[in-house]
Amino acid sequence: MRRIHTLVAAALTAVVLLHALCGSFLLIGTSRRPMVFLAWLAAALLGLHVTFSLVLTGQMWRSLRGRTCRYVRLNRDFWLRRISGLAVLVLLVFHIGMFGVTEDGTYFLLPFTAVRLAGHLLFMAAIAWHIAMNLKPLCLALGCPGLDWQSRRAGLVLLVFCGFAVLAAIIYFVRWQYV
């Protein structure tokens, strides 16, 4: 089950980064076609990822009976990964309805206000934090040789994707406010 979860997490990471890239091009106006398929694929992979994470967390929690205090303190990174995942899930609800609504089959854009920009930036930060917290264990689980080098390279790719997404969100906000 852990191996399948690793593959689902890796696929989810790739799809989310691709969704962020396509969405960024859409926000800055260089693309006119939303990639709805990527969003649905990410949602399906997210459902699997959350299910596997809950099952594995439950197994770990049951194995700690009577030793909880000691292991919670020692497994700080494990719990930070779970907390960052929960933050992503909470902010995902905000992200889903952030840009527009569908009424009678027609999609209407909502004004992109400073509050929506702040929520979007917070969502991207939560995703980046969650991926960064899990990058080294993911590379280890995938059996990447040269773990430190691979995780640093993957971290650089994550930084570039997040930087481009932040820039696109700011450009979109400025266009809504001043153009």
Side-chain angles (χ1 to χ4, degrees):
M1 181 167 72
R2 288 184 188 274
R3 186 66 175 169
I4 295 171
H5 184 226
T6 299
L7 296 174
V8 166
L12 178 61
T13 301
V15 169
V16 164
L17 291 178
L18 188 58
H19 176 73
L21 182 67
C22 292
S24 296
F25 283 126
L26 191 66
L27 289 179
I28 61 176
T30 58
S31 172
R32 297 283 178 223
R33 212 174 94 177
M35 300 298 266
V36 177
F37 172 74
L38 286 176
W40 284 108
L41 180 59
L45 289 171
L46 180 65
L48 286 172
H49 180 60
V50 168
T51 302
F52 281 128
S53 296
L54 288 173
V55 168
L56 292 172
T57 302
Q59 287 175 355
M60 190 278 315
W61 193 257
R62 282 189 297 278
S63 72
L64 291 181
R65 289 192 185 149
R67 302 175 297 204
T68 308
C69 292
R70 181 173 174 233
Y71 283 103
V72 168
R73 188 171 33 90
L74 292 175
N75 291 319
R76 177 186 54 111
D77 289 343
F78 174 84
W79 291 108
L80 284 176
R81 287 185 197 107
R82 296 318 189 255
I83 291 168
S84 68
L86 185 61
V88 168
L89 285 177
V90 168
L91 291 167
L92 177 65
V93 173
F94 180 76
H95 176 74
I96 288 170
M98 181 182 302
F99 295 105
V101 295
T102 303
E103 293 178 8
D104 298 326
T106 304
Y107 189 76
F108 294 101
L109 283 176
L110 297 173
F112 199 68
T113 62
V115 172
R116 285 197 166 95
L117 175 66
H120 190 64
L121 295 177
L122 191 59
F123 178 60
M124 287 188 289
I127 287 176
W129 177 38
H130 185 66
I131 292 174
M133 290 284 302
N134 289 290
L135 204 53
K136 195 169 184 177
L138 182 63
C139 288
L140 183 65
L142 289 172
C144 294
L147 181 62
D148 287 337
W149 182 75
Q150 291 289 346
S151 60
R152 284 188 186 132
R153 194 166 99 183
L156 181 62
V157 169
L158 175 66
L159 184 65
V160 168
F161 272 81
C162 288
F164 184 64
V166 166
L167 183 64
I170 291 171
I171 289 170
Y172 187 69
F173 173 74
V174 168
R175 285 178 43 206
W176 261 101
Q177 301 304 314
Y178 301 109
V179 176

